[in-house]
Amino acid sequence: MTDATPGFSLELSSDLREMRSWVHEFAESVMRPAAAEWDEREQTPWPILQEASKIGLYSLDFFATQFFEDSGLGFVTAVEELFWGDAGLGLSLVGSTLAAVAIVANGTPEQVGEWCPQMFGAPDDVKLGAFCSSEPNAGSDVGAIKTRAAYDEAKDEWVINGVKTWATNGGIAHVHVVVASVDSSLGSRGQASFIVPPGTRGLSQGQKFKKHGIRASHTAEVILDDVRVPGHCLVGGKDKLDRRLDRVRSGGRGGDQAAMKTFEASRPGVAAMAVGVGRAAVEYAIEYARTRTQFGRAIGQNQGVAFQLADMQAAVDAARLLTQRAAWMARQGKSFEHAEGSMAKLVAGETAVRVTEQAIQILGGNGYTREYPVERWHRDAKIFTIFEGTSEIQRMIIGRAVTGLDVR
């Protein structure tokens, strides 16, 4: 027997609980009242970004503090609250972090220090970052990326040509991080990421997409036409790239591919987004079921409704636990041997779609109108089964991890 205090706890630290309350207050008082307006406008919500920046919520310092918090739960806790507020506004607030993660996960300390702060700016001059990986013919198949980066040794510059699509903040960001092929014969193992500084000639916005959901978040094509960036803008540096390419060409392992490493690091955060949307729908449906009366009693007293709510609540709680596990494992440096990051993203994304649809059903005709937020949450939720790896891709990754077989 031992008197040692158990080391396992599911309770957030007091600091995280305080942070969660602070973010929730912003989500409730600033984001919720503005959500429907910005969904209709389909524009980047600069006033919301500025309000968040003024209080330190939209800042590199805040996101870095939560991302590197000891338990690993800081970032996913904050993200859940923001997306409980609204997914479109939430993605506008966290969209820059994907570009920052791309540099943090693969770059040098000097690159992190120089470029990540520029993705957020200051309260009186808010900036954005954009991570550009997907292409018109290379979504889930990152090995099919056609954007090329050629090294001009005489000028120590990389020349990038191609078209990116589905880029959050694409074309309006201050700093873009672009995945390009440097040796197309190697497929995804011949790719690297490049920082495109603000004002670089040849980078422009293409089509801005009108979307089903998350409409307050800017999504667009990014066109790269003879874009020249300095040699030091190769994420991780040229020496590291050359060593990796030499290993691959000689038959060795190339290490993690740049885009996939970024997506893997971000999956617990994306799962937390879905949990936030799902939780919002469950809470709203529960309150509606308590107060809406039909046939002389609250509809929540009917088993047909109450049982749905029970399943919805259980599903969201389960998704949160998977998300927290993945976030904790990532922070402790534990490998995702069973693709725990993909598990979290898969379950949370599909849960969000399911429970938001159930919330509409519980609200009936009211749920189908824009007078109530659940139809917007349902539109928003669908993206979580698509972006940063579709549900099908997540299942393939998990299948490979658990079987050890080359699942295709």
Side-chain angles (χ1 to χ4, degrees):
M1 299 293 290
T2 177
D3 295 329
T5 302
F8 177 78
S9 174
L10 289 173
E11 186 174 17
L12 297 178
S13 68
S14 59
D15 286 345
L16 285 187
R17 293 197 302 272
E18 183 178 345
M19 180 274 293
R20 181 179 62 186
S21 296
W22 177 64
V23 177
H24 183 83
E25 169 61 26
F26 181 84
E28 185 173 41
S29 63
V30 178
M31 296 175 69
R32 280 270 174 109
E37 175 188 352
W38 288 101
D39 177 69
E40 292 288 344
R41 292 174 67 167
E42 298 191 57
Q43 296 174 351
T44 300
W46 293 106
I48 306 298
L49 289 164
Q50 289 165 349
E51 286 298 313
S53 183
K54 286 177 184 177
I55 65 172
L57 177 54
Y58 182 75
S59 69
L60 177 62
D61 181 65
F62 173 74
F63 286 121
T65 298
Q66 302 314 319
F67 194 82
F68 293 109
E69 185 271 333
D70 288 343
S71 72
L73 303 184
F75 186 71
V76 295
T77 299
V79 166
E80 178 181 334
E81 296 305 320
L82 290 173
F83 279 70
W84 174 91
D86 181 68
L89 298 177
L91 193 55
S92 290
L93 288 165
V94 305
S96 297
T97 64
L98 187 59
V101 166
I103 297 178
V104 171
N106 303 292
T108 66
E110 292 76 17
Q111 289 172 332
V112 173
E114 179 177 3
W115 299 108
C116 289
Q118 295 189 47
M119 297 180 185
F120 297 90
D124 59 348
D125 188 23
V126 171
K127 302 295 185 185
L128 300 170
F131 180 67
C132 308
S133 176
S134 294
E135 297 183 0
N137 294 309
S140 297
D141 183 8
V142 295
I145 284 176
K146 298 299 183 186
T147 296
R148 299 288 182 258
Y151 185 57
D152 183 341
E153 190 170 0
K155 295 183 177 180
D156 185 26
E157 292 179 337
W158 289 90
V159 185
I160 309 172
N161 283 280
V163 177
K164 294 297 181 178
T165 193
W166 308 120
T168 298
N169 299 331
I172 64 170
H174 194 62
V175 178
H176 292 74
V177 179
V178 176
V179 179
S181 175
V182 296
D183 186 339
S184 59
S185 68
L186 301 178
S188 63
R189 297 180 300 170
Q191 295 171 0
S193 294
F194 298 86
I195 300 161
V196 182
T200 300
R201 294 180 60 181
L203 184 148
S204 61
Q205 178 184 310
Q207 177 186 2
K208 178 186 174 183
F209 296 104
K210 287 185 168 292
K211 304 187 299 295
H212 178 64
I214 55 167
R215 301 198 304 189
S217 173
H218 177 97
T219 309
E221 289 181 329
V222 174
I223 298 170
L224 303 128
D225 183 11
D226 282 339
V227 170
R228 286 183 169 267
V229 299
H232 64 81
C233 286
L234 167 62
V235 177
K238 193 170 187 301
D239 289 344
K240 181 178 177 181
L241 173 65
D242 288 342
R243 289 195 299 270
R244 175 164 64 85
L245 294 178
D246 287 343
R247 285 197 305 272
V248 173
R249 289 165 182 153
S250 62
R253 288 180 56 83
D256 293 325
Q257 188 270 341
M260 294 308 296
K261 189 173 181 181
T262 300
F263 290 141
E264 187 65 18
S266 70
R267 279 183 185 132
V270 176
M273 299 175 190
V275 171
V277 175
R279 179 183 130 212
V282 172
E283 290 178 358
Y284 200 94
I286 288 173
E287 183 59 26
Y288 187 88
R290 286 171 173 163
T291 57
R292 171 70 168 173
T293 59
Q294 290 289 279
F295 305 105
R297 63 179 182 176
I299 63 171
Q301 290 183 262
N302 298 311
Q303 288 186 2
V305 173
F307 286 5
Q308 280 194 79
L309 293 170
D311 288 343
M312 293 160 68
Q313 185 68 68
V316 169
D317 284 5
R320 181 184 298 107
L321 288 170
L322 283 173
T323 299
Q324 291 177 337
R325 179 183 69 168
W328 176 83
M329 290 179 68
R331 185 68 184 99
Q332 308 311 314
K334 297 182 179 294
S335 62
F336 288 163
E337 293 184 5
H338 292 152
E340 286 85 355
S342 290
M343 285 186 187
K345 201 252 181 196
L346 170 66
V347 172
E350 298 205 339
T351 294
V353 172
R354 185 172 63 254
V355 300
T356 51
E357 181 179 12
Q358 289 173 301
I360 291 175
Q361 190 68 27
I362 289 170
L363 268 67
N366 287 335
Y368 198 67
T369 71
R370 293 190 182 182
E371 298 300 313
Y372 291 78
V374 291
E375 66 83 27
R376 183 176 73 252
W377 295 337
H378 185 52
R379 287 188 284 109
D380 292 339
K382 186 56 188 171
I383 194 62
F384 300 116
T385 67
I386 299 173
F387 77 167
E388 297 198 43
T390 65
S391 288
E392 291 75 21
I393 291 295
Q394 305 307 326
R395 286 188 170 90
M396 184 174 68
I397 293 169
I398 298 166
R400 288 174 177 172
V402 300
T403 66
L405 300 174
D406 185 19
V407 180
R408 294 184 181 274

